[in-house]
Amino acid sequence: MPALAPELEVARRIARQAGDILLQVYATDFSVTDKAGGAGPVTLADERANAFIVGELRKAFPSDGVVAEENEDASDAKRFERCWYVDPLDGTQEFVNRNGEFAIHIGLAVEGRAALGVVYRAVGDVLYSGVVGEQGYMEDPQGRRALRVSDVAEPSALRLVVSRSHRSKTTDAVVQRLGITRETESGSVGLKCGLLAESRCDLYVHVSDKSYRWDNCAPEAVIRSAGGVLTDLSGTQYRYDGSELQNHRGLLACNAAAFDRVLPVASQVAREAGLLK
C-alpha cells in the first residue's frame, strides 16, 4: 500500500461530506458577515464545514495536530510532527457571489512539509488529490484521471490563471514582462492549482501577503503530485511548522518546465511590491 493511503482515503471522504454541508447552506438565503480586521467575509457554511472537518480529523487521527482557518488556536502546528491544514471554504467571496468556484482544502504536513492534499469543488463534484512523490488524480462525474502539469517552457506561451475577485496591478506587471497573452479566471487557490495540475493552465502568481498556509498546503501537495512546483516568490518552499501562518512572500505555482524562467521575473515584481527584500 502506498504511503499515506489511509490518510488520503479519510481526507477524501471528509472533503466530500463537508461539500454536502457547504451545498446545504449554498441553497439557502444565507447571511454574510465580515471577519475582524478586514480579513474577508465569513458565512455559516465556513463555520459548519470547519467544525465538521476538524472533528472528523481529530477522531480519525487523534495523535495529529489540526490547524484550521476558522479556529483561533493554531498552536498545533508547532507541537505536532504531523499537522493537518484545513480551509473549509476557500473562495468565500465566490461562494457569496454564487459562481461555484469555491473549494474545500484538506492538507497534511509532515515534519513541516506538505505531504498530502485534497481539494474538493462541491459544485460539479470535482476532487483533486495527491501525495507528494506519488501520482495525483482528479475525479469528476466523467471518471478518474491522472494529473500531469504541462511541459510548456516558453514564458510568452504560458496560460496564466488569475483571481476572479482579487486581480492586482502586480499581476499585470508579471503578465507584461513575461509576454503572456492567454489568461483564465478562477476563484479558489486550490482550483487554480487544480487547473495547473490537469494541464489546463500553466502558471499562477499571487504577488500579495493576503494568504495563509491553509490556503496552499493541500494545493501544494496536489500540484507536486502532478509534477509541478509551488513556492513563495523567492523560489523557497513554504514550511508548515508553525513558524508563521501568513504567506508573507506570496505564492508561485508553475509547471516545472517554465519555473526557472518565470521565477526571476516574479521575484523582481515581488521586490518592487515590497514583499521581498
Side-chain angles (χ1 to χ4, degrees), residues 207 233-234 263-277:
V207 189
L233 290 168
S234 73
L263 178 61
V265 173
S267 296
Q268 181 60 35
V269 172
R271 277 192 291 274
E272 292 168 4
L275 287 185
L276 299 179
K277 296 178 181 178

Side-chain angles (χ1 to χ4, degrees), residues 210-229:
K210 300 295 190 291
S211 68
Y212 294 82
R213 294 301 197 276
W214 47 72
D215 291 309
N216 51 287
C217 183
E220 178 181 343
V222 168
I223 201 166
R224 290 178 63 194
S225 77
V229 184

Side-chain angles (χ1 to χ4, degrees), residues 198-215:
E198 54 174 317
S199 292
R200 290 171 60 190
C201 292
D202 313 297
L203 173 66
Y204 167 51
V205 183
H206 184 60
V207 189
S208 167
D209 60 1
K210 300 295 190 291
S211 68
Y212 294 82
R213 294 301 197 276
W214 47 72
D215 291 309

Side-chain angles (χ1 to χ4, degrees), residues 183-203:
E183 296 184 15
T184 296
E185 290 185 336
S186 183
S188 158
V189 173
L191 297 183
K192 292 185 186 80
C193 290
L195 291 175
L196 265 73
E198 54 174 317
S199 292
R200 290 171 60 190
C201 292
D202 313 297
L203 173 66

